[in-house]
């Protein structure tokens, strides 16, 4: 069957400053919360740090040239807040501004459209010391950061995004496995609420400028949990918990419906937790978006017995408890959920999808280049996107995570998501089979597949 995508479909690549740029302490950039978190013993597999990462800061020209050869139409990158505002607020670092000018101009010289993301978790450590997203002052600081970006790049970038995956903030403050490494559930839930208000404040300031043609949205990852046995109350309750109280529901309900879900509110009450929600917060969060970015990786099917077993293993210190079963096809159901349950009316961009290969022992490059299994997975996701399009959903683009293997947060350099293989010693990038595949998909504006 032929999968042919709409004209002007935005084929893109997504990345993130902290995971790729390196130059962590160069040209006036100060530490981000992640630079510090990496240095906490035991926080990152193998003790890796992101100081050099892929050195995209210096090698961006060759990276963008490679993207251009692949035919990429849009490059989703993020600004490093501590590179722009080393103290988080106040003093602007001109060298940081200059770098992003060079980066954006380079993309545009190849006709690649920038999609600029404000926050991909790496806030300035200076602000982390003041509580980070746990501190409501963050709303003002975030707004100021938005203003600095609009002052400098408002006429160069027409596609903006406030946050990538705000859930990462909850995980970092409540569960400790991401920066800043705190394990305080109440604080984590409040930090997430505050981050959503930051999003709203940034959108408000963006609207004030009335920049002709410029669009703003937010990117949310949806890992949906389903009951294995839909008639089992236990399985349903587990799936509900993960969706509404530990996952996307905590973000999509306020963002798209203007209120927290009843199940979440009940959970908070039952666990003696409460959120500090101030007057105007919900309106600020629930502002019209120009597009919605969906990151889709996988879905989970929950069986109460397996969950109990998993929890037991976790208690005994075996965190690698989840058997990874892949469900690329479930993206269509998630798209329908956005439109039906969350009443999404704006265009949708699939802002990330990808699949990693583990490399804990740093095996030879040749083992990673023939990634047919990645191509199979990405095609299945695209089949799901296509089904959504055929059902009339307004899907405007599809971005792959990611251009080159990079620093995969708590997994350090042991998880390879790239279409290009990165040799982290020499920093050489080598295309995998999937890079050629994506080139062909873009060139043909689709692909052909039998099943
Ligand atoms: O690497 C991350 C990215 O930063 C956010 N989305 C998921 C990716 C893969 O885990």
């Amino acid at each position: 069957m032929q999968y042919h995508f709409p004209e002007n479909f935005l084929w893109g690549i997504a990345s993130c400053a902290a995971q790729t740029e390196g130059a962590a302490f160069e040209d006036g950039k100060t530490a981000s919360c992640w630079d510090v978190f990496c240095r906490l013993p035991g926080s990152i597999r193998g003790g890796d740090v992101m100081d050099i990462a892929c050195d995209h800061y210096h090698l961006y020209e060759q990276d963008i040239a490679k993207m251009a050869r692949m035919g990429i139409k849009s490059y989703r990158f993020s600004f490093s807040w501590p590179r722009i505002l080393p103290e988080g607020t106040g003093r602007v670092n001109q060298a940081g501004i200059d770098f992003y000018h060079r980066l954006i101009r380079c993309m545009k010289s190849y006709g690649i459209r920038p999609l600029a993301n404000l926050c991909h978790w790496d806030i300035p450590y200076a602000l982390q010391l003041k509580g980070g997203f746990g501190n409501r002052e963050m709303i003002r600081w975030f707004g100021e950061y938005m203003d600095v970006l609009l002052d400098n790049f408002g006429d160069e970038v027409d596609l903006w995004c406030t946050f990538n995956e705000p859930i990462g903030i909850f995980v970092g403050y409540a569960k400790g496995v991401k920066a800043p490494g705190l394990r305080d559930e109440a604080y984590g839930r409040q930090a997430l609420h505050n981050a959503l208000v930051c999003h709203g404040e940034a959108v408000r300031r963006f609207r004030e400028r009335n920049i002709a043609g410029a669009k703003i949205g937010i990117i949310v990852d949806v890992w949906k949990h389903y009951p294995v046995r839909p008639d089992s109350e236990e399985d349903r309750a587990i799936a509900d918990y993960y969706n509404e109280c530990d996952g996307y529901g905590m973000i999509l309900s306020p963002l798209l419906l203007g209120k927290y879900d009843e199940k979440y509110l009940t959970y908070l009450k039952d666990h003696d937790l409460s959120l500090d929600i101030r007057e105007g917060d919900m309106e600020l969060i629930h502002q019209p978006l120009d597009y919605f970015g969906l990151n889709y990786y996988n879905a989970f099917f929950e069986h109460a017995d397996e969950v109990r077993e998993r929890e037991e293993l976790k208690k005994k210190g075996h965190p690698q408890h989840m058997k990874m079963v892949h469900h690329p096809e479930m993206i269509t159901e998630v798209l329908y959920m956005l439109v039906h349950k969350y009443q999404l009316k704006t265009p949708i961009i699939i802002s990330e999808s990808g699949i990693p290969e583990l490399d804990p022992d740093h095996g030879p490059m040749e083992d990673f280049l023939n990634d047919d299994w990645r191509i199979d997975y990405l095609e299945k996701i695209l089949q799901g996107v296509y089904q959504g399009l055929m059902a009339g959903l307004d899907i405007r683009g599809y971005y792959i995570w990611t251009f080159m293997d990079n620093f995969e947060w708590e997994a350090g350099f042991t998880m390879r998501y790239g279409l290009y293989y990165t040799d982290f010693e020499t920093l050489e990038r080598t295309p995998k089979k999937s890079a050629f595949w994506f080139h062909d998909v873009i060139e043909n504006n689709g692909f052909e597949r039998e099943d």
Side-chain angles (χ1 to χ4, degrees):
M1 175 171 167
Q2 283 282 350
Y3 295 90
H4 198 75
F5 284 74
E7 229 174 285
N8 299 323
F9 196 69
L10 211 49
W11 297 103
I13 282 279
S15 88
C16 154
Q19 290 175 270
T20 59
E21 278 179 11
F25 302 99
E26 237 179 280
D27 290 344
K29 177 183 169 292
T30 55
S32 74
C33 59
W34 269 93
D35 290 317
V36 174
F37 179 65
C38 287
R39 286 170 164 78
L40 296 181
S43 57
I44 310 290
R45 206 171 300 159
D48 292 334
V49 294
M50 46 211 335
D51 294 12
I52 299 174
C54 306
D55 204 18
H56 186 54
Y57 185 78
H58 296 109
L59 303 178
Y60 72 93
E61 282 175 303
Q62 57 153 288
D63 291 338
I64 289 173
K66 288 183 174 73
M67 288 180 210
R69 279 202 292 278
M70 219 193 281
I72 295 302
K73 309 273 182 238
S74 176
Y75 177 38
R76 195 198 115 192
F77 72 103
S78 70
F79 290 106
S80 156
W81 187 346
R83 202 181 285 294
I84 302 276
L85 291 154
E87 285 81 40
T89 64
R91 184 177 64 89
V92 175
N93 177 32
Q94 192 55 44
I97 300 284
D98 293 345
F99 166 65
Y100 290 108
H101 275 309
R102 292 196 298 276
L103 182 73
I104 293 166
R105 284 175 193 158
C106 182
M107 284 177 229
K108 292 176 83 165
S109 72
Y110 288 103
I112 296 178
R113 185 176 179 191
L115 193 174
N117 175 19
L118 266 72
C119 187
H120 200 126
W121 310 340
D122 52 337
I123 66 164
Y125 187 60
L127 297 184
Q128 193 63 63
L129 286 174
K130 296 179 182 167
F133 287 103
N135 183 343
R136 267 193 78 97
E137 278 291 286
M138 193 68 167
I139 301 160
R140 192 168 51 80
W141 300 329
F142 200 79
E144 190 191 313
Y145 172 44
M146 171 96 263
D147 276 341
V148 171
L149 293 180
L150 289 173
D151 287 346
N152 287 282
F153 306 102
D155 55 357
E156 280 181 73
V157 174
D158 68 350
L159 209 45
W160 292 83
C161 160
T162 55
F163 274 96
N164 173 78
E165 301 182 359
I167 194 81
I169 292 157
F170 170 65
V171 175
Y173 289 68
K175 302 190 177 193
V177 290
K178 294 197 186 294
L182 301 173
R183 288 174 198 272
D184 182 330
E185 182 179 354
Y187 199 58
R189 294 188 183 282
Q190 187 60 47
L192 178 60
H193 173 79
N194 294 349
L196 293 176
V197 185
C198 288
H199 152 80
E201 175 63 9
V203 173
R204 189 185 70 73
R205 296 200 190 208
F206 180 85
R207 300 282 182 228
E208 266 178 10
R209 307 261 177 152
N210 223 351
I211 311 171
K215 301 198 182 317
I216 195 161
I218 186 170
I219 289 173
V220 182
D221 52 327
V222 176
W223 301 71
K224 192 168 174 186
H225 295 250
Y226 300 84
V228 169
R229 303 162 298 179
D231 52 353
S232 150
E233 214 172 291
E234 240 190 326
D235 289 9
R236 278 204 316 270
I238 291 168
D240 276 350
Y241 165 75
Y242 284 125
N243 292 335
E244 300 297 344
C245 311
D246 196 63
Y248 63 84
M250 301 189 292
I251 296 159
L252 295 185
S253 292
L255 196 66
L256 301 175
L257 300 175
K259 56 181 187 238
Y260 284 105
D261 191 88
E262 281 308 317
K263 286 187 181 128
Y264 186 41
L265 295 174
T266 306
Y267 173 87
L268 292 177
K269 195 154 161 266
D270 291 350
H271 291 80
D272 256 339
L273 296 162
S274 60
L275 293 177
D276 174 13
I277 303 176
R278 309 260 172 103
E279 205 184 326
D281 279 6
M282 299 314 283
E283 291 74 20
L284 212 48
I285 297 172
H286 178 50
Q287 280 181 80
L289 299 169
D290 297 319
Y291 73 90
F292 177 86
L294 168 69
N295 287 358
Y296 181 86
Y297 284 85
N298 209 356
F300 298 109
F301 286 81
E302 304 294 357
H303 189 296
D305 297 344
E306 281 174 15
V307 174
R308 269 191 290 273
E309 204 181 305
R310 218 157 70 198
E311 290 305 316
E312 277 309 306
L313 282 174
K314 232 203 276 185
K315 271 191 225 145
K316 289 184 192 147
H318 300 287
Q320 306 301 334
H321 48 275
M322 257 191 183
K323 282 183 253 133
M324 210 29 129
V325 182
H326 295 291
H327 297 285
E329 73 290 351
M330 296 308 283
I331 188 173
T332 318
E333 203 276 335
V334 168
L335 287 164
Y336 293 156
M337 174 182 80
L338 290 174
V339 172
H340 296 129
K341 176 169 177 188
Y342 293 105
Q343 298 165 28
L344 187 70
K345 295 197 175 54
T346 55
I348 299 169
I349 289 176
I350 312 301
S351 35
E352 275 182 31
S353 85
I355 187 165
E357 187 156 21
L358 301 183
D359 184 16
D361 305 320
H362 303 303
M365 173 175 82
E366 291 65 35
D367 290 358
F368 296 91
L369 298 183
N370 276 324
D371 54 350
D372 288 299
W373 53 276
R374 173 174 285 117
I375 295 172
D376 181 60
Y377 189 73
L378 297 177
E379 279 189 356
K380 284 180 178 151
I381 291 207
L382 278 170
Q383 285 179 310
V385 174
Y386 187 81
Q387 217 177 312
L389 281 163
M390 291 303 103
L393 302 186
D394 186 2
I395 306 168
R396 302 279 177 95
Y398 172 79
Y399 290 63
I400 287 183
W401 184 268
T402 183
F403 170 63
M404 60 190 154
D405 303 327
N406 56 42
F407 185 92
E408 179 52 31
W409 306 113
E410 60 274 20
F413 295 112
T414 67
M415 252 180 157
R416 297 183 173 275
Y417 272 94
L419 300 186
Y420 270 68
Y421 175 92
T422 309
D423 179 324
F424 292 107
E425 295 289 318
T426 63
L427 296 176
E428 202 175 321
R429 292 85 153 109
T430 307
K432 301 179 190 173
K433 199 167 173 184
S434 53
F436 298 106
W437 164 83
F438 200 35
H439 167 275
D440 293 348
V441 170
I442 299 172
E443 193 170 73
N444 299 319
N445 203 25
F447 60 96
E448 195 178 334
R449 186 175 164 115
E450 292 317 318
D451 58 352

Coordinates of all heavy atoms in Angstrom, one line a residue, residues 15-16 19 76 120-121 164-165 178 219 221 223 295 297 352 354-356 401-402 406-409 415 417, ligand 1:
S15 N 15.6 17.7 18.5 CA 16.8 17.5 19.3 C 16.7 18.4 20.6 O 15.6 19.1 20.8 CB 18.1 17.8 18.6 OG 18.4 19.2 18.7
C16 N 17.7 18.5 21.3 CA 17.7 19.3 22.6 C 19.1 19.8 22.9 O 20.1 19.1 22.7 CB 17.2 18.3 23.7 SG 17.7 18.7 25.3
Q19 N 21.3 17.8 25.4 CA 21.7 16.4 25.0 C 22.8 16.4 23.8 O 23.4 15.4 23.6 CB 20.5 15.6 24.5 CG 19.5 15.3 25.7 CD 18.3 14.6 25.2 OE1 17.3 15.3 24.9 NE2 18.3 13.3 25.1
R76 N 13.8 20.9 15.0 CA 13.3 21.3 16.3 C 14.5 21.2 17.2 O 15.1 20.2 17.5 CB 12.3 20.3 16.8 CG 11.4 20.7 17.9 CD 10.8 19.6 18.6 NE 11.3 19.5 19.9 CZ 11.1 18.4 20.7 NH1 10.4 17.4 20.3 NH2 11.6 18.4 21.9
H120 N 13.7 22.5 27.6 CA 13.8 21.0 27.5 C 14.5 20.6 28.8 O 15.5 19.9 28.8 CB 14.6 20.6 26.3 CG 14.3 19.2 25.8 ND1 14.0 18.9 24.6 CD2 14.5 18.0 26.5 CE1 13.8 17.6 24.4 NE2 14.2 17.0 25.6
W121 N 14.0 21.1 30.0 CA 14.4 20.6 31.3 C 15.6 21.3 31.9 O 15.8 21.3 33.1 CB 14.5 19.1 31.4 CG 13.4 18.3 30.9 CD1 12.1 18.7 30.6 CD2 13.5 16.9 30.4 NE1 11.4 17.7 30.1 CE2 12.2 16.6 30.0 CE3 14.5 16.0 30.4 CZ2 11.9 15.3 29.5 CZ3 14.2 14.7 29.9 CH2 12.9 14.4 29.5
N164 N 9.2 21.1 26.2 CA 9.1 19.7 25.8 C 8.9 18.9 27.0 O 9.6 18.9 28.0 CB 10.5 19.3 25.2 CG 10.4 17.8 24.9 OD1 9.9 17.4 23.9 ND2 11.0 17.0 25.7
E165 N 7.8 18.1 26.9 CA 7.5 17.1 28.0 C 7.6 17.6 29.4 O 8.5 17.2 30.1 CB 8.4 15.9 27.8 CG 8.3 15.2 26.4 CD 9.3 14.0 26.3 OE1 10.0 13.7 27.2 OE2 9.2 13.4 25.2
K178 N 15.5 12.2 37.4 CA 16.0 13.2 36.5 C 16.4 14.4 37.4 O 16.0 14.5 38.6 CB 14.9 13.6 35.5 CG 14.5 12.5 34.6 CD 13.7 13.0 33.4 CE 13.2 11.9 32.5 NZ 14.3 11.1 31.8
I219 N 4.7 20.8 23.7 CA 4.9 19.4 23.3 C 4.7 18.5 24.6 O 5.4 18.7 25.6 CB 6.4 19.3 22.8 CG1 6.4 20.0 21.4 CG2 6.8 17.8 22.7 CD1 7.8 20.0 20.8
D221 N 4.4 14.4 25.9 CA 4.5 13.0 25.6 C 3.4 12.2 26.2 O 3.0 12.4 27.3 CB 5.9 12.4 26.0 CG 6.1 12.7 27.5 OD1 5.7 13.7 28.0 OD2 6.8 11.8 28.2
W223 N 2.3 8.5 27.0 CA 2.6 7.1 27.2 C 1.3 6.5 27.8 O 1.2 6.6 29.0 CB 3.8 6.8 28.1 CG 5.1 7.4 27.6 CD1 5.4 8.7 27.6 CD2 6.2 6.7 27.1 NE1 6.7 8.9 27.2 CE2 7.2 7.7 26.8 CE3 6.5 5.4 26.9 CZ2 8.5 7.4 26.3 CZ3 7.8 5.0 26.4 CH2 8.7 6.0 26.1
N295 N 4.5 13.8 21.4 CA 5.6 12.9 21.4 C 5.0 11.5 21.6 O 4.4 11.3 22.7 CB 6.6 13.2 22.4 CG 7.4 14.5 22.1 OD1 7.2 15.1 21.1 ND2 8.3 14.8 23.0
Y297 N 5.9 7.4 21.8 CA 6.9 6.3 21.8 C 6.3 5.0 21.9 O 6.6 4.1 21.1 CB 8.0 6.6 22.9 CG 9.0 7.6 22.6 CD1 8.7 9.0 22.8 CD2 10.2 7.3 21.9 CE1 9.6 10.0 22.5 CE2 11.1 8.3 21.6 CZ 10.7 9.7 21.8 OH 11.6 10.7 21.5
E352 N 7.9 14.1 18.2 CA 8.9 13.2 18.4 C 8.4 11.8 18.2 O 7.2 11.5 18.7 CB 9.5 13.2 19.8 CG 10.5 14.2 20.1 CD 11.0 14.1 21.6 OE1 11.0 13.0 22.2 OE2 11.4 15.1 22.1
G354 N 10.5 7.7 18.1 CA 11.8 7.1 17.9 C 11.9 5.8 18.7 O 11.0 5.5 19.4
I355 N 13.0 5.2 18.6 CA 13.2 3.9 19.3 C 14.7 3.8 19.5 O 15.5 4.0 18.6 CB 12.6 2.8 18.5 CG1 12.6 1.5 19.4 CG2 13.2 2.6 17.1 CD1 11.7 0.4 18.8
P356 N 15.1 3.4 20.7 CA 16.6 3.3 21.0 C 17.2 1.9 20.8 O 16.4 0.9 20.8 CB 16.6 3.6 22.5 CG 15.3 3.1 23.0 CD 14.3 3.2 21.9
W401 N 12.8 11.5 16.6 CA 13.8 11.7 17.7 C 14.8 10.6 17.4 O 14.5 9.4 17.6 CB 13.2 11.5 19.1 CG 14.3 11.7 20.1 CD1 15.2 10.7 20.7 CD2 14.8 12.9 20.6 NE1 16.1 11.3 21.5 CE2 15.8 12.7 21.5 CE3 14.3 14.3 20.5 CZ2 16.5 13.7 22.2 CZ3 15.0 15.3 21.2 CH2 16.1 15.0 22.0
T402 N 16.0 10.9 16.9 CA 16.6 12.1 16.8 C 17.7 12.1 15.6 O 17.9 11.0 15.2 CB 17.3 12.6 18.1 OG1 17.9 13.8 18.0 CG2 18.3 11.5 18.6
N406 N 22.8 10.7 21.1 CA 23.3 11.7 22.0 C 23.2 11.3 23.5 O 23.0 10.1 23.8 CB 22.5 13.0 21.7 CG 21.0 12.9 21.8 OD1 20.5 12.2 22.7 ND2 20.3 13.4 20.8
F407 N 23.2 12.3 24.3 CA 23.2 12.0 25.8 C 21.8 11.7 26.2 O 20.9 12.6 26.2 CB 23.7 13.3 26.5 CG 23.9 13.0 28.0 CD1 25.1 12.6 28.5 CD2 22.8 13.3 28.9 CE1 25.2 12.4 29.9 CE2 22.9 13.1 30.2 CZ 24.1 12.6 30.7
E408 N 21.5 10.5 26.5 CA 20.1 10.1 26.8 C 19.9 10.2 28.4 O 19.7 9.2 29.0 CB 19.8 8.7 26.2 CG 18.4 8.2 26.5 CD 17.3 9.1 26.1 OE1 17.4 9.9 25.2 OE2 16.2 9.0 26.8
W409 N 20.0 11.4 28.9 CA 19.6 11.7 30.3 C 20.2 10.7 31.2 O 21.4 10.4 31.2 CB 18.1 11.8 30.4 CG 17.5 12.8 29.4 CD1 16.7 12.5 28.4 CD2 17.8 14.2 29.4 NE1 16.4 13.7 27.7 CE2 17.0 14.8 28.3 CE3 18.5 15.1 30.1 CZ2 17.0 16.1 27.9 CZ3 18.5 16.5 29.8 CH2 17.8 17.0 28.7
M415 N 22.3 4.7 25.3 CA 21.0 4.4 24.6 C 21.1 5.2 23.3 O 21.2 6.4 23.3 CB 19.9 4.9 25.4 CG 19.0 3.9 26.0 SD 17.7 4.7 26.9 CE 16.5 3.4 26.9
Y417 N 19.5 6.6 20.0 CA 18.2 6.9 19.3 C 18.4 7.4 17.9 O 17.5 7.7 17.2 CB 17.5 8.0 20.1 CG 16.5 7.5 21.2 CD1 16.9 7.4 22.5 CD2 15.2 7.1 20.9 CE1 16.1 7.0 23.5 CE2 14.3 6.7 21.9 CZ 14.8 6.6 23.2 OH 13.9 6.2 24.1
Ligands
LIG1 O1 15.8 11.8 24.7 C1 14.4 12.0 25.1 C2 14.0 13.5 24.8 O2 14.8 14.3 25.5 C3 12.6 13.7 25.2 N1 11.7 12.7 24.7 C4 12.1 11.3 24.8 C5 13.5 11.1 24.3 C6 14.0 9.7 24.3 O3 13.9 9.2 25.6

